[in-house]
Amino acid sequence: MIELIVTKDGSHTIFDSELGVWHHSVNGALQESTRIFIELGLLEKAREGKEMKIFEMGFGTGLNVLLTLIEARKHNYYIDYTTLEAFPLPEEKYEALNYDLLLDSNVLQQLHQLSWNQKHDVMNGFSLTKIQNDLLEYRFAQKMDLVYFDAYSPNTQPELWTEEVFRKIYDAMNIGGVLMTYCSKTVVRKTLLAAGFNVEKHPGPRGKREVLRAIKV
């Protein structure tokens, strides 16, 4: 069963009672995604140039896409965004999310309603392709500059946190490409290193001491 939960910063997240997992930190979905994927990922990578290709593992609630779109509009970034999701949220769940209200936006529903497996020009300079597929089966069609690795935890989906998977992503990235993930477990850091990445630890969002930033050099 999929339940809508309000986190400590007032933003919604999803709790999957069947798997026993949360889509975001209960300390705040909005502050978590902003810190990990926007501040440490998008804004840092944009220092090298305003044009980039982004890959997201886990479309989920659409929060990472929405935050990236808002920043792209604010800073005139040119972004080709691809997001992967095997199990899209049902309409009644994504319609109830409060991100648009909190972020003074009005596009979240549009992002969810866009057809799957097709590229869409959401606005000038921002395209979005939502792929309904499993990462193990997915084949990258282009080289990526930034990866939001937002899969369920290694305890829930261990098959997505292997050296083979990270090597697959590594090979699909441009030199200097960055992978951001919330999971800072030692085994994940060692697996990223084994796949070829340089790995950095950075202070995480509230309630999380560290997160990982992996770079293809």
Side-chain angles (χ1 to χ4, degrees):
M1 181 179 176
I2 301 294
E3 302 176 46
L4 208 61
I5 306 293
V6 177
T7 62
K8 289 183 179 179
D9 67 2
S11 60
H12 280 135
T13 191
I14 296 293
F15 178 67
D16 188 326
S17 57
E18 184 176 341
L19 294 175
V21 294
W22 305 82
H23 277 224
H24 305 93
S25 167
V26 294
N27 288 300
L30 182 56
Q31 61 97 25
E32 178 187 44
S33 287
T34 298
R35 172 59 181 162
I36 300 171
F37 301 111
I38 303 303
E39 293 179 2
L40 293 173
L42 179 68
L43 298 183
E44 284 296 316
K45 190 62 181 168
R47 295 175 185 271
E48 302 170 15
K50 292 190 173 186
E51 185 173 342
M52 68 188 82
K53 291 179 172 60
I54 297 177
F55 175 79
E56 177 189 30
M57 174 55 224
F59 176 66
T61 62
L63 179 56
N64 292 337
V65 179
L66 178 60
L67 289 172
T68 303
L69 177 62
I70 290 171
E71 292 298 323
R73 181 180 292 160
K74 186 189 305 182
H75 300 291
N76 295 317
Y77 296 156
Y78 293 89
I79 293 176
D80 185 352
Y81 196 117
T82 300
T83 183
L84 199 65
E85 179 61 60
F87 303 103
L89 285 181
E91 184 177 358
E92 68 270 16
K93 296 301 181 184
Y94 69 68
E95 283 186 342
L97 292 167
N98 65 357
Y99 304 148
D100 271 341
L101 178 64
L102 294 176
L103 295 168
D104 192 24
S105 174
N106 62 357
V107 297
L108 182 64
Q109 305 305 314
Q110 177 191 350
L111 298 176
H112 277 277
Q113 291 165 2
L114 292 174
S115 58
W116 291 84
N117 307 310
Q118 183 178 350
K119 189 172 185 175
H120 299 272
D121 291 322
V122 179
M123 70 174 195
N124 185 34
F126 192 101
S127 65
L128 175 64
T129 306
K130 300 190 302 179
I131 304 293
Q132 189 173 357
N133 200 349
D134 185 279
L135 179 58
L136 300 179
E137 299 176 3
Y138 179 68
R139 295 293 177 264
F140 287 88
Q142 57 185 348
K143 294 284 189 179
M144 298 295 171
D145 302 299
L146 178 60
V147 174
Y148 299 161
F149 197 81
D150 204 15
Y152 282 148
S153 74
N155 291 336
T156 304
Q157 288 186 306
E159 70 278 6
L160 297 184
W161 299 82
T162 64
E163 181 180 339
E164 181 181 6
V165 167
F166 284 135
R167 168 62 69 172
K168 176 180 178 178
I169 295 173
Y170 180 93
D171 290 341
M173 294 172 68
N174 286 314
I175 299 297
V178 169
L179 179 149
M180 289 303 311
T181 183
Y182 64 89
C183 187
S184 61
K185 288 185 174 182
T186 299
V187 64
V188 172
R189 183 177 62 82
K190 289 182 176 179
T191 303
L192 284 164
L193 287 167
F197 289 99
N198 278 6
V199 183
E200 304 170 347
K201 293 180 181 180
H202 291 269
R206 184 177 62 186
K208 188 161 187 60
R209 186 164 63 92
E210 295 175 335
V211 297
L212 297 182
R213 190 173 193 260
I215 305 167
K216 178 174 180 176
V217 295

